Amino acid sequence: NAGVTQTPKFQVLKTGQSMTLQCAQDMNHEYMSWYRQDPGMGLRLIHYSVGAGITDQGEVPNGYNVSRSTTEDFPLRLLSAAPSQTSVYFCASSYSYTSKEQYFGPGTRLTVT
Amino acid sequence: AQSVTQLGSHVSVSEGALVLLRCNYSSSVPPYLFWYVQYPNQGLQLLLKYTTGATLVKGINGFEAEFKKSETSFHLTKPSAHMSDAAEYFCAVSDPETGNTPLVFGKGTRLSVIA
């Protein structure tokens, strides 16, 4: 198993540009989530999904969209990038939303200028 | 709502010394508790978890943590620090009775190990 994969690893955007961060898992996990990590802030939940076709907002959803058309994929879309979205983004998955034990991808480092 | 407080954003220990990373939580019900480790430029990796049963939980790389309900704590310890333990450590809590509630993470503690 590849586990949780994320692409790209690094990205630089200009303010106002849009892009999609890709996340995929091959463990047949129901639950997937996106976090952002900023210095001194820990991990903050952006959006999560408890299964294909079901998504919900986390703590910091503004400026981000998600969809879950398949069990394997959970892309995160930045609609109009802002410097405040400069961060490291992590995707995670778990077998079910009740198991809670999450497996993390390697992260995407995004810089918005 | 649950919350997690990690005391000390940075802890420094000498190689061979005891490692103690503190985590306190607030939860209205007995929670599930987790410790994750993040090595530089990597994702988070599960160290150990407490769900039910024995309150002393052993994890990977010689780490362990004890769930103390009376103190609402879940401190992480390792008897003898190794240089390879230098990393950032995150405590996380979840409510097992609320299915859709995701993990809530603390702000992390960076561990430095001095030779």
Side-chain angles (χ1 to χ4, degrees):
Chain A
N1 285 350
V4 180
T5 58
Q6 292 183 238
T7 55
K9 290 188 176 181
F10 301 95
Q11 183 69 50
V12 179
L13 290 178
K14 295 186 186 302
T15 298
Q17 287 184 317
S18 63
M19 79 158 296
T20 299
L21 307 186
Q22 301 291 345
C23 173
Q25 52 89 11
D26 62 357
M27 298 174 282
N28 200 32
H29 283 175
E30 287 184 356
Y31 183 95
M32 297 185 74
S33 54
W34 276 102
Y35 294 87
R36 60 177 289 172
Q37 182 179 26
D38 303 290
M41 303 291 289
L43 277 81
R44 293 182 291 170
L45 183 67
I46 305 172
H47 286 285
Y48 65 96
S49 168
V50 299
I54 306 169
T55 63
D56 206 346
Q57 296 181 351
E59 180 185 357
V60 288
N62 292 341
Y64 307 95
N65 272 1
V66 292
S67 60
R68 184 99 178 268
S69 56
T70 67
T71 299
E72 294 79 18
D73 300 298
F74 191 44
L76 178 72
R77 297 181 187 84
L78 279 69
L79 308 174
S80 177
S84 61
Q85 294 179 303
T86 294
S87 187
V88 181
Y89 291 85
F90 289 100
C91 180
S93 72
S94 64
Y95 179 70
S96 73
Y97 56 79
T98 54
S99 77
K100 307 297 185 182
E101 178 181 339
Q102 297 196 37
Y103 296 80
F104 283 80
T108 294
R109 186 174 296 274
L110 176 68
T111 301
V112 183
T113 61
Chain B
Q2 292 120 335
S3 66
V4 175
T5 301
Q6 291 185 240
L7 296 177
S9 60
H10 185 210
V11 171
S12 185
V13 301
S14 298
E15 192 174 18
L18 172 72
V19 175
L20 171 60
L21 304 182
R22 299 179 186 273
C23 172
N24 289 89
Y25 68 89
S26 71
S27 176
S28 58
V29 299
Y32 288 176
L33 293 158
F34 303 80
W35 275 101
Y36 283 84
V37 60
Q38 183 182 30
Y39 298 105
N41 300 313
Q42 294 187 25
L44 278 72
Q45 177 184 357
L46 182 69
L47 264 182
L48 49 79
K49 64 179 179 181
Y50 168 80
T51 55
T52 59
T55 56
L56 181 62
V57 180
K58 295 186 185 299
I60 61 172
N61 301 337
F63 284 93
E64 63 183 35
E66 186 171 10
F67 169 57
K68 292 188 176 181
K69 184 179 177 181
S70 61
E71 299 177 8
T72 61
S73 70
F74 191 57
H75 301 332
L76 181 70
T77 61
K78 182 175 180 178
S80 176
H82 192 272
M83 297 297 289
S84 61
D85 295 326
E88 188 146 20
Y89 293 80
F90 293 92
C91 183
V93 64
S94 74
D95 176 359
E97 296 184 1
T98 307
N100 288 353
T101 303
L103 288 178
V104 174
F105 284 85
K107 295 186 176 181
T109 298
R110 182 168 300 278
L111 176 66
S112 297
V113 182
I114 304 167

